[in-house]
């Protein structure tokens, strides 16, 4: 039995319309807000400082490079999302083009990306939340404020705030997608307003001489920073996970993907220009609140307080969207038989994948409480870059195997744009540390064991050969 057996586009859509279905409640505005909600968070409020230490003012170029990698991949995502409006994101698209084995690998990879992202962001959220409590004279017991080993010289056992926020987010997601997106939209509007406030106030304190030298560590520093701040763009792909819950996926999904990525890229570049124009890059050493630091140095402490609030809301929306995306990946893989069926059960009242939502929430909450933030970021980046590489290759395969397929949105410049996406993503992957590659290899090895021990035997393609299912191999696709 071929490892590269595929499901046709028609069969994927038919499967999504049978049995327990998800509620179609989202439009282009909701999707754009989901994208912005997922993107603007830890990246802009925390990693900009770390990136400046690596690239200096040249961090602006780092954000542009990372944006190009995401932009090219986003066009590929938009084509697939409009053509195959089914939950599962790149996992589902890979199933249709490169076969079940590759789909499993990318699905397992997405589990790494989404689950660790929510865990990492919850740790960052905890720090800002504790800072906010401290302003009111409230201090939690030290042992419950961070993961073990997070604070040098201090004994810590568990990050309780990180655990609690993820449980609350999970509860909200389990109650319904429309309710979740409504709250997300409100928080996104507030945090974008806070970022715009920083731009308006901070622009008057920029000193152009701070941008000299522009690349103090050369272009190698710019490239390394690009691989780091790539984390700041993670999330727009989560929009495609909602495909099955969109009222008009053919038009709204491409709009949501492209609009959210474009808006966030513009905000990132402007904020970086202002931040490095106020604060000498060396002063970001050991700082986990670089944006508010810039305003403090400008003497605008009252605005810095709003920035801290925006950071908390920003990270909350990231948690909401990434946990949402992860639960939909589990839902799609379970429906295909690659994971136990309990993860594709839909709540009769709320129309949400209840089992998937709570599994993702509980596991991510425990990881966020036990593992420090610094150990997670690069591993998340390599998983995401790998996913972007595969989705770009999948566009090339589908164009070759099904040239007449109805595509409401077509990725422009094929094959050049997908090839550029692959090139940018692979290049950024090479800039990551060797330990990151080793860790990623171990994660994939665990996934292979699970596939051959359980998923291959329980695949829905084993039990029947439904109409529309193709048994073509990857070799024949080429």
């Amino acid at each position: 039995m071929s490892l590269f057996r595929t499901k046709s586009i028609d069969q994927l859509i038919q499967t999504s319309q049978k049995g327990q279905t998800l509620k179609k409640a989202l439009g282009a505005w909701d999707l754009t807000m989901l994208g912005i909600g997922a993107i603007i968070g830890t990246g802009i409020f925390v990693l900009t400082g770390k990136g400046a230490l690596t690239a200096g003012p040249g961090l602006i170029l780092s954000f542009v490079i990372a944006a190009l990698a995401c932009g090219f991949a986003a066009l590929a995502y938009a084509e697939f999302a409009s053509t195959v409006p089914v939950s599962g994101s790149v996992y589902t698209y890979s199933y249709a083009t490169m076969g079940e084995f590759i789909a499993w690998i990318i699905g397992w990879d997405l589990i790494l990306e989404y689950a660790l992202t929510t865990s990492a962001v919850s740790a960052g959220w905890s720090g800002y939340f504790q800072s906010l409590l401290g302003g009111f004279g409230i201090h939690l017991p030290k042992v419950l404020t961070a993961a073990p080993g997070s604070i040098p010289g201090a004994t810590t056992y568990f990050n309780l705030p990180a655990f609690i926020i993820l449980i609350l987010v999970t509860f909200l997601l389990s109650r319904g997608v429309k309710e979740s997106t409504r709250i997300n939209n409100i928080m996104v509007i507030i945090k974008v307003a806070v970022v715009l406030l920083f731009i308006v106030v901070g622009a008057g304190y920029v000193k152009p001489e701070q941008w000299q030298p522009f690349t103090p560590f050369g272009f190698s520093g710019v490239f390394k920073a690009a691989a780091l701040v790539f984390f700041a763009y993670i999330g727009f792909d989560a929009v495609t996970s909602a495909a099955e819950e969109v009222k008009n996926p053919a038009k709204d999904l491409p709009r949501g993907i492209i609009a959210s990525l474009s808006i966030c890229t513009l905000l990132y570049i402007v904020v970086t220009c202002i931040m490095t124009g106020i604060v000498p890059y060396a002063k970001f050493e050991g700082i986990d609140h670089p944006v508010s630091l810039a305003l403090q140095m400008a003497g605008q402490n009252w605005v810095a307080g709003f920035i801290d609030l925006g950071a908390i809301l920003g990270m909350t929306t990231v948690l909401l969207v990434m946990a949402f995306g992860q639960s939909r990946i589990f839902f799609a893989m379970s429906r295909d038989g690659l994971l136990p069926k309990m993860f594709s059960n839909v709540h009769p009242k709320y129309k949400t994948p209840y089992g998937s939502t709570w599994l993702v929430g509980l596991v991510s909450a425990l990881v966020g409480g036990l593992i420090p933030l610094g150990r997670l970021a690069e591993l998340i980046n390599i998983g995401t870059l790998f996913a972007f590489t595969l989705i770009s290759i999948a566009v090339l395969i589908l164009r070759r195997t099904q040239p007449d397929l109805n595509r409401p949105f077509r990725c422009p410049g094929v094959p050049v744009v997908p090839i550029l996406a692959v090139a940018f993503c692979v290049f950024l992957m090479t800039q990551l540390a060797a330990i990151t590659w080793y860790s990623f290899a171990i994660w994939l090895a665990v996934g292979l064991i699970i596939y051959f021990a359980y998923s291959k035997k329980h695949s829905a393609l084993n039990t029947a050969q439904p109409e529309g299912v193709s048994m073509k191999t990857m070799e024949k696709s080429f």
Side-chain angles (χ1 to χ4, degrees):
M1 189 172 293
S2 174
L3 292 176
F4 302 107
R5 51 191 176 177
T6 64
K7 282 189 174 183
S8 71
I9 302 297
D10 288 342
Q11 180 61 26
L12 286 168
I13 295 175
Q14 290 170 12
T15 300
S16 71
Q17 295 172 346
K18 293 179 180 178
Q20 302 183 84
T21 59
L22 302 175
K23 183 178 180 181
K24 295 185 179 296
L26 306 179
W29 169 258
D30 296 314
L31 295 172
T32 302
M33 291 295 101
L34 278 174
I36 296 174
I39 298 170
I40 296 181
T42 304
I44 193 170
F45 291 114
V46 179
L47 289 183
T48 44
K50 299 182 185 300
L53 290 170
T54 305
L59 179 63
I60 297 167
L61 297 179
S62 302
F63 272 111
V64 172
I65 293 170
L68 286 173
C70 290
F72 291 136
L75 294 172
Y77 266 101
E79 174 168 323
F80 267 108
S82 63
T83 306
V84 192
V86 179
S87 288
S89 186
V90 67
Y91 157 77
T92 299
Y93 312 150
S94 299
Y95 214 146
T97 55
M98 293 181 282
E100 182 178 281
F101 182 65
I102 301 299
W104 166 263
I105 291 177
I106 198 60
W108 188 246
D109 172 62
L110 289 174
I111 291 172
L112 173 75
E113 175 195 342
Y114 286 10
L116 292 191
T117 296
T118 54
S119 300
V121 175
S122 70
W125 184 97
S126 175
Y128 272 95
F129 180 70
Q130 291 177 58
S131 176
L132 183 64
L133 289 180
F136 295 97
I138 302 173
H139 301 281
L140 299 175
K142 196 71 173 179
V143 294
L144 297 177
T145 58
S150 297
I151 305 175
T155 300
T156 54
Y157 297 130
F158 193 71
N159 194 329
L160 183 61
F163 178 85
I164 291 176
I165 184 59
L166 273 175
I167 294 299
L168 291 175
V169 165
T170 301
F171 174 76
L172 177 62
L173 287 172
S174 69
R175 304 290 288 185
V177 64
K178 191 60 181 179
E179 292 74 9
S180 303
T181 54
R182 186 178 294 117
I183 294 176
N184 175 75
N185 293 351
I186 294 171
M187 289 191 291
V188 167
I189 291 172
I190 294 174
K191 76 173 178 181
V192 170
V194 168
V195 172
L196 293 176
L197 178 63
F198 168 81
I199 293 172
V200 171
V201 175
Y205 296 90
V206 170
K207 298 177 181 178
E209 58 268 24
Q210 300 283 18
W211 294 329
Q212 300 299 326
F214 189 66
T215 54
F217 306 104
F219 278 95
S220 62
V222 171
F223 294 146
K224 289 179 181 179
L228 174 66
V229 300
F230 179 82
F231 182 85
Y233 289 100
I234 291 175
F236 80 85
D237 53 319
V239 172
T240 63
S241 298
E244 208 166 307
E245 294 154 276
V246 179
K247 289 180 284 189
N248 187 0
K251 294 182 178 180
D252 292 343
L253 279 166
R255 291 172 181 170
I257 294 169
I258 296 171
S260 60
L261 184 60
S262 300
I263 292 170
C264 292
T265 298
L266 178 61
L267 291 176
Y268 280 174
I269 292 173
V270 174
V271 167
T272 303
C273 286
I274 294 174
M275 191 185 75
T276 56
I278 297 176
V279 183
Y281 68 87
K283 289 187 177 295
F284 290 117
E285 182 70 42
I287 299 297
D288 59 2
H289 55 284
V291 178
S292 59
L293 174 67
L295 291 174
Q296 290 168 5
M297 292 191 66
Q300 298 293 326
N301 290 316
W302 68 276
V303 182
F306 281 106
I307 295 298
D308 289 340
L309 176 61
I312 291 174
L313 291 177
M315 293 181 192
T316 303
T317 61
V318 174
L319 293 173
L320 189 69
V321 179
M322 298 306 286
F324 170 88
Q326 174 65 94
S327 65
R328 270 52 180 180
I329 299 296
F330 261 88
F331 174 80
M333 295 177 75
S334 172
R335 189 166 57 187
D336 290 332
L338 304 186
L339 290 174
K341 285 298 181 183
M342 63 169 288
F343 300 128
S344 56
N345 290 335
V346 175
H347 194 280
K349 178 179 178 181
Y350 303 124
K351 297 298 181 182
T352 58
Y354 222 64
S356 296
T357 301
W358 276 105
L359 174 73
V360 169
L362 289 172
V363 172
S364 299
L366 289 171
V367 173
L370 293 170
I371 301 180
L373 170 62
R375 299 179 185 176
L376 298 174
E378 282 204 356
L379 191 55
I380 295 166
N381 284 357
I382 195 171
T384 307
L385 287 164
F386 183 64
F388 286 5
T389 299
L390 282 188
I391 189 65
S392 302
I393 294 173
V395 164
L396 295 174
I397 294 175
L398 196 63
R399 285 290 185 95
R400 183 177 181 85
T401 57
Q402 299 189 49
D404 299 326
L405 183 68
N406 178 39
R407 294 172 170 83
F409 177 88
R410 297 179 67 88
C411 175
V414 174
V416 176
V417 168
I419 290 175
L420 286 174
V422 173
F424 270 89
C425 290
V426 171
F427 174 74
L428 291 178
M429 289 170 74
T430 64
Q431 303 300 303
L432 297 171
I435 186 63
T436 304
W437 283 87
Y438 297 147
S439 301
F440 185 57
I442 292 172
W443 176 261
L444 291 182
V446 172
L448 291 179
I449 293 173
I450 294 174
Y451 176 75
F452 287 107
Y454 177 88
S455 304
K456 189 172 184 292
K457 299 176 183 177
H458 293 82
S459 170
L461 294 184
N462 288 338
T463 57
Q465 178 68 19
E467 182 181 354
V469 175
S470 170
M471 297 299 288
K472 291 181 291 185
T473 64
M474 181 186 290
E475 292 84 356
K476 289 183 180 179
S477 294
F478 287 103

